[in-house]
Amino acid sequence: MADYDDNNIFARILRGEIPSQTIDEDATTLSFSDINPQAGSHSLVIPKGAYANLSDFADGASDAELADWVRSLVRVARKNGLDENGYRVIVNCGDNAHQEVPHLHGHVLGGHALGPMLTRRDQ
Ligand code: AMP
């Protein structure tokens, strides 16, 4: 388990110390707009529990938390009108994936054709 930083920006959003534009909330998840959107529609879905990344979540979360988070990703895509034409979910986990905020978050992206999944290593 990674050490969890209680003062990461998403922990502060969960405590109401920093504003966010809520899209969806249930017992164990909160979803809000990304402050620096990388697509026409870009939302973040986080568990309310203190999980630094996807690995910690898989290891430590209850089945209910796991199910809520997956369902929230899809619910947010639908609320944002992305279900018909498609969307992309990205989870960056750790340094090589360039995870910036150390609280698990799923990016839900869409609104137009998003292009290839990754830039090739040699480009
Ligand atoms: P990652 O690189 O996967 O850790 O992504 C972190 C994401 O958090 C980025 O897309 C940021 O734009 C987003 N972000 C950072 N601070 C905030 C904030 N206060 N409210 C909403 N999104 C944020």
Side-chain angles (χ1 to χ4, degrees), residues 26-72:
D26 68 12
T28 72
T29 72
L30 179 69
S31 304
F32 49 90
S33 301
D34 194 290
I35 204 167
N36 183 25
Q38 302 296 310
S41 177
H42 186 175
S43 306
L44 301 172
V45 179
I46 69 173
K48 292 180 176 175
Y51 303 106
N53 57 43
L54 185 64
S55 300
D56 282 356
F57 188 59
D59 290 344
S62 68
D63 288 354
E65 288 177 298
L66 291 162
D68 282 353
W69 184 70
V70 172
R71 292 197 172 110
S72 295

